[in-house]
Amino acid sequence: MQPRVSISPTGATEQSLQTTGDRLAKSPANVFERPHSVLLKDANRAVVALPELPSLCAVIAPRSRGSFREQAQEVLDSLQSILAARNRPMRVVLQTVFLRNPKDRAECQRLLTAQFGSEAPLSSYLPQPPACGAEVALEVWAVDAESARVERFGAHAVGISGGGGRWVYCTGIMPAPSRRRAYDQTMDGLRRMQTSLAQAGSGFANVVRTWFYLGGITEPEGNTERYKELNRARADFYQGIAFANGRPQRNGLHNGVYPASTGIGMAGSSLVMSCAAFHTERRDARLVALENPRQTPAYCYHPRYSPKSPKFSRGVALQVGDCLITWVSGTASIVDSETHHLDDLQRQTEQTIDNIQHLIARENLAAHGLEPACATLEDFAMVRVYLKHPSYFGRCKTICDRRFGPTPTAYSVADICRTELLVEIEGIAVSRVL
Ligand code: 3EB
């Protein structure tokens, strides 16, 4: 059994976290029945034991409401104190910057260059306002600098090797500005992503997770909708790709094997795409696409939702040794294939989290051949919540805090692909297999 610690104020030192931990560990309430991979977390950071790759996830929004520059500097200062609190050097490899005003991007890049110099992380800028009202928010993945080998491949790709595995992230991929139609934007973006993956020695066969941020996602285009056109292009492009590198999978429910994904709105009229790929020679690694027993697989949705169905899995589970990483796709208040709880933010939030619980539950993972694996809401290293309207923030956060406990969580404002959906939630859970 391992002690598990949560709750510490931002800026607490590693020492004080450890001390708190030691003190809390003596109280039975903080001793859990099973070992964890998320060793330590609070509302801003999670310390995660990936296989031989100690990692830190952080989500930071400023408290102050000064100028953009002041808010961005506060965020970077908080990040520095979180990193400095680790007793080993950590390297930030990946970050997502949520921007209220896309025009602040250049200023943000200057601040980041000043902060990180030549070791600048791969950064993607999303025109999605932080729901808390700030100008900027930051989501970060840092790795133990001595355990990981980090390689940059141009502006859009990074490779991170450690523990017998290699991650490739491609972020901030955008189609040529001349492309206006969602079909063309998606095709062009996917081709650029393929090029970027290839530069990093990877390809779609190894992609486990995708993000599609589409401007005007619910808007009409021709006699259809932009999101449906994204789906048509994705279906065409994915034709013939053997995801999971052609490895046989035991997926007890369905034959479809697609990456976990998020398809969500953003400001503007373009498309921003990111993906994560994973490579390993380890014999003890298993990759399984997950479906949700409560939800129709998206790729089986009735054509009335989208003539070409959305090609994604509800989640992807990667087991390496005794560590289980579960990417939970963007999840909403959909049961079977119907939206539930119209016009009720709180019920939609609860339903969404219920759906996530059913996805990662022991019974469902067992049905996918992953016995005795299990993940719970407390295993999330990082959560992202998309809200259709900023006024939903307080009520949604109250529910997320209660159900996930203290967890680094980014809240941003974005349209969701069905107009009646008010909230969508995704995340990464990291747990241990007994
Ligand atoms: C849904 O369940 C909500 O098109 O890649 C969630 C996650 C959604 C991913 C995608 C869409 C996508 O259908 C929408």
Side-chain angles (χ1 to χ4, degrees):
M1 281 198 291
Q2 281 188 352
R4 179 119 183 295
V5 188
S6 48
I7 310 177
S8 90
T10 311
T13 62
E14 179 78 354
Q15 200 56 49
S16 72
L17 277 170
Q18 294 290 277
T19 309
T20 317
D22 290 340
R23 195 172 57 239
L24 288 177
K26 292 190 184 99
S27 118
N30 287 286
V31 179
F32 288 74
E33 290 303 314
R34 60 196 175 82
H36 289 76
S37 288
V38 177
L39 302 177
L40 201 98
K41 66 174 172 171
D42 65 16
N44 293 106
R45 80 199 93 177
V47 176
V48 188
L50 295 181
E52 295 162 55
L53 187 62
S55 295
L56 185 126
C57 299
V59 174
I60 308 164
R63 289 165 204 262
S64 77
R65 288 292 177 267
S67 65
F68 172 79
R69 202 199 155 83
E70 286 163 352
Q71 294 191 26
Q73 197 56 57
E74 184 193 328
V75 166
L76 289 175
D77 292 346
S78 302
L79 175 60
Q80 275 317 111
S81 71
I82 285 171
L83 295 172
R86 300 290 305 145
N87 49 18
R88 299 168 61 94
M90 302 298 286
R91 176 160 176 189
V92 179
V93 287
L94 202 65
Q95 61 187 2
T96 303
V97 185
F98 298 88
L99 286 180
R100 175 169 310 279
N101 186 346
K103 292 201 183 88
D104 287 327
R105 178 183 176 145
E107 168 99 52
C108 199
Q109 274 167 322
R110 276 193 295 276
L111 291 171
L112 290 172
T113 306
Q115 181 93 4
F116 293 105
S118 63
E119 295 215 328
L122 187 65
S123 307
S124 89
Y125 296 86
L126 282 188
Q128 284 184 347
C132 60
E135 295 296 315
V136 60
L138 193 60
E139 186 193 84
V140 159
W141 180 32
V143 296
D144 185 277
E146 281 154 26
S147 310
R149 193 162 71 92
V150 181
E151 298 166 281
R152 272 295 291 269
F153 303 91
H156 298 290
V158 65
I160 301 128
S161 307
R166 179 166 186 262
W167 303 88
V168 173
Y169 272 85
C170 294
T171 71
I173 308 271
M174 293 182 75
S178 60
R179 313 268 182 179
R180 310 300 299 174
R181 293 170 167 275
Y183 184 93
D184 301 333
Q185 291 173 328
T186 307
M187 268 298 173
D188 192 29
L190 284 166
R191 287 199 194 99
R192 286 166 188 257
M193 185 172 264
Q194 195 161 41
T195 304
S196 191
L197 283 164
Q199 280 168 359
S202 186
F204 271 98
N206 288 82
V207 167
V208 295
R209 182 68 168 96
T210 59
W211 288 265
F212 297 85
Y213 309 98
L214 183 63
I217 189 167
T218 59
E219 280 167 25
E221 192 171 272
N223 52 12
T224 177
E225 284 163 24
R226 281 175 60 74
Y227 178 60
K228 293 178 181 172
E229 287 293 274
L230 179 150
N231 283 327
R232 187 163 69 87
R234 175 169 52 184
D236 287 351
F237 187 89
Y238 282 1
Q239 200 93 50
I241 292 173
F243 285 103
N245 214 1
R247 273 195 224 193
Q249 306 221 338
R250 191 180 141 204
N251 175 333
L253 304 172
H254 305 281
N255 296 321
V257 175
Y258 295 106
S261 185
T262 296
I264 197 86
M266 67 169 195
S269 55
S270 188
L271 170 69
V272 175
M273 295 167 38
S274 298
C275 73
F278 183 71
H279 299 252
T280 187
E281 302 284 307
R282 283 179 65 148
R283 308 288 299 267
D284 60 351
R286 288 207 295 164
L287 186 67
V288 180
L290 302 177
E291 286 305 319
N292 193 320
R294 304 294 171 105
Q295 295 188 299
T296 307
Y299 49 83
C300 300
Y301 277 164
H302 189 276
R304 75 172 167 274
Y305 296 103
S306 186
K308 288 283 183 86
S309 64
K311 300 291 190 280
F312 70 92
S313 297
R314 297 296 179 184
V316 163
L318 171 65
Q319 188 179 335
V320 181
D322 66 353
C323 180
L324 184 77
I325 302 173
T326 310
W327 283 271
V328 174
S329 291
T331 305
S333 181
I334 296 173
V335 177
D336 300 326
S337 39
E338 302 293 323
T339 302
H340 278 221
H341 316 301
L342 296 181
D343 300 318
D344 189 330
L345 171 77
Q346 274 139 318
R347 287 223 174 95
Q348 284 203 11
T349 305
E350 299 277 10
Q351 180 71 60
T352 298
I353 301 172
D354 290 347
N355 286 351
I356 292 174
Q357 271 186 316
H358 288 298
L359 179 76
I360 64 179
R362 183 181 298 276
E363 304 75 56
N364 193 44
L365 296 186
H368 287 79
L370 282 165
E371 211 145 23
C374 162
T376 70
L377 296 181
E378 75 174 11
D379 294 313
F380 278 81
M382 198 139 68
V383 170
R384 240 198 238 180
V385 179
Y386 304 97
L387 295 169
K388 194 180 171 75
H389 197 275
S391 66
Y392 300 161
F393 174 61
R395 280 177 294 155
C396 181
K397 183 175 187 304
T398 301
I399 295 170
C400 291
D401 285 349
R402 169 166 51 76
R403 299 210 45 193
F404 286 97
T407 300
T409 304
Y411 295 86
S412 65
V413 179
D415 277 332
I416 298 166
C417 57
R418 297 187 189 183
T419 49
E420 71 277 13
L421 288 172
L422 308 177
V423 56
E424 185 169 308
I425 303 178
E426 65 177 61
I428 305 173
V430 190
S431 51
R432 275 175 68 185
V433 181
L434 292 179

